[in-house]
Amino acid sequence: MQEIAVEFPDNFLLIDLCGEYDRNLAEIEKTLGVQILRRGNQLAIIGEADAAAAAKGVLEALYRRLEEGRSVERGDVDRELRMGSGEAQVEDTGDQLEMFKGGRVEIKTRKKPVEPRTDAQKAYVQSLFHNELAFGIGPAGTGKTYLAVAVGVSMFIEGHVDRIILSRPAVEAGEKLGYLPGDMKDKVDPYMQPLYDALNDFLPGKQVAKLIEEKRIEIAPLAFMRGRTLANAFVVLDEAQNATSMQMKMFLTRLGEGSRMVITGDRSQVDLPRGVTSGLHDAERLLTGIPNIAFNYFTAKDVVRHPLVAKIIEAYDADQ
């Protein structure tokens, strides 16, 4: 056992570092198996040498965030615990495409900066910026769609693309909903709601509505993509496991000049009729190895929702 004392000069920032009812400290203690005691403007970390050193690194990284004027939320603590704090800081060049030289990854949006919490998420974000076509494949809750929309918003803000186009197949998840009331938008909006939720996390609500009205942001079912050429756009196809092989080929061939395309899906949640091959499966089989097409994979370890979600996914995987 070893005790390490870490001093933090600003008591107000130290309060934010500890969190409400010291919940941030409790999370670090639980994850790393250490004990953290507060003594004035110092935190004493008691535990095995490696664990205590890791806790010190996490605390110092979170304190640096606060010194930079950023907040420390539960997700930030989780990210530091997963990824460590030994990464070199990268100067802000003002261009998101120049940020990835081995340092911290941060996606800038109008509402808040977004940072990957796991190594797989970091590699995925880098892939989205560096490849014209990228796939994100893995279980629910791993941030595939959320990070893709964040990157799209960032590239739109910085002028790398003129439009954001978000799409998903309008397939019912094992239920028959019958005829839905309203016009075409009313009928398809329930299927598209996760995409609206992600957008509203990164852009003010009024701006989202204005951009949708101006057709600079489009949210549409996959079936509406036929016959289009999507130039100078950031295009996301979500829930791609529910696209048929023909739909996937149709969508992939929409890619135009100056565009980037992201395909996300979970192979374990196919809602297509029995006997219909998933387009995501075919695309993975046919396109692996082609230059400028990246495949990024996630596991239960990359789940960033409630901790129970990861355990649920692992239980189902083990059963299969």
Side-chain angles (χ1 to χ4, degrees):
M1 300 293 285
Q2 180 177 343
E3 178 175 328
I4 300 176
V6 191
E7 186 171 329
F8 300 97
D10 190 321
N11 275 316
F12 290 103
L13 294 185
L14 179 57
I15 292 171
D16 292 334
L17 174 64
C18 295
E20 189 176 7
Y21 302 114
D22 289 346
R23 66 181 182 185
N24 295 341
L25 301 185
E27 183 68 23
I28 296 169
E29 288 178 325
K30 178 183 174 183
T31 303
L32 297 178
V34 298
Q35 183 181 7
I36 303 176
L37 305 175
R38 186 169 174 182
R39 299 169 180 164
N41 67 336
Q42 285 188 343
L43 293 178
I45 307 165
I46 303 169
E48 294 184 5
D50 290 346
K56 178 176 182 286
V58 169
L59 289 168
E60 288 176 340
L62 295 173
Y63 188 78
R64 281 197 298 271
R65 282 182 63 88
L66 293 168
E67 286 183 316
E68 293 165 3
R70 298 187 288 172
S71 62
V72 168
E73 306 294 341
R74 182 176 179 179
D76 303 312
V77 178
D78 179 55
R79 184 190 60 259
E80 291 297 338
L81 286 167
R82 291 185 190 227
M83 296 182 67
S85 57
E87 298 171 309
Q89 298 294 314
V90 178
E91 283 188 21
D92 183 0
T93 62
D95 189 333
Q96 195 79 56
L97 296 176
E98 296 299 320
M99 286 188 65
F100 307 120
K101 304 297 183 185
R104 187 179 303 280
V105 177
E106 183 177 271
I107 309 165
K108 299 173 186 174
T109 69
R110 285 272 188 261
K111 274 192 173 181
K112 62 181 181 181
V114 179
E115 295 179 59
R117 295 190 195 174
T118 70
D119 289 333
Q121 288 185 348
K122 181 177 178 180
Y124 176 57
V125 170
Q126 291 173 326
S127 177
L128 298 188
F129 278 106
H130 289 132
N131 293 283
E132 293 176 298
L133 176 58
F135 286 77
I137 301 172
T142 50
K144 304 181 300 293
T145 305
Y146 192 80
L147 291 171
V149 175
V151 171
V153 169
S154 175
M155 295 191 75
F156 177 76
I157 290 170
E158 294 182 354
H160 297 296
V161 295
D162 298 331
R163 292 181 295 164
I164 299 173
I165 299 174
L166 309 176
S167 183
R168 56 176 8 209
V171 175
E172 295 161 346
E175 300 177 82
K176 296 297 182 186
L177 302 179
Y179 293 103
L180 296 174
D183 59 18
M184 182 62 72
K185 184 177 185 300
D186 295 329
K187 292 177 189 295
V188 302
D189 269 0
Y191 299 100
M192 306 294 122
Q193 192 58 50
L195 301 175
Y196 285 105
D197 293 342
L199 272 177
N200 286 319
D201 256 12
F202 308 131
L203 291 169
K206 289 184 179 178
Q207 188 177 8
V208 170
K210 186 172 185 291
L211 291 170
I212 290 176
E213 185 180 346
E214 295 172 350
K215 301 278 189 189
R216 298 177 72 191
I217 292 180
E218 295 182 48
I219 302 177
L222 176 57
F224 288 13
M225 295 295 109
R226 186 173 295 279
R228 302 183 63 182
T229 299
L230 308 175
N232 299 311
F234 191 94
V235 191
V236 179
L237 174 60
D238 189 29
E239 300 290 343
Q241 75 276 2
N242 289 328
T244 65
S245 295
M246 288 302 296
Q247 285 178 322
M248 180 63 75
K249 179 182 176 184
M250 176 272 292
F251 186 80
L252 292 172
T253 53
R254 301 307 94 196
L255 186 64
E257 289 294 325
S259 288
R260 288 175 185 268
M261 190 173 278
V262 186
I263 316 293
T264 69
D266 177 0
R267 288 175 297 195
S268 69
Q269 295 194 15
V270 178
D271 298 312
L272 291 169
R274 187 180 299 276
V276 178
T277 303
S278 167
L280 180 62
H281 176 270
D282 268 1
E284 190 179 0
R285 177 174 60 86
L286 295 168
L287 304 181
T288 300
I290 296 178
N292 297 322
I293 299 180
F295 285 86
N296 304 272
Y297 295 93
F298 300 89
T299 67
K301 294 179 180 178
D302 300 302
V303 171
V304 291
R305 290 181 185 166
H306 194 285
L308 277 178
V309 174
K311 291 181 171 58
I312 291 167
I313 291 168
E314 288 170 350
Y316 274 91
D317 288 345
D319 185 60
Q320 292 173 357

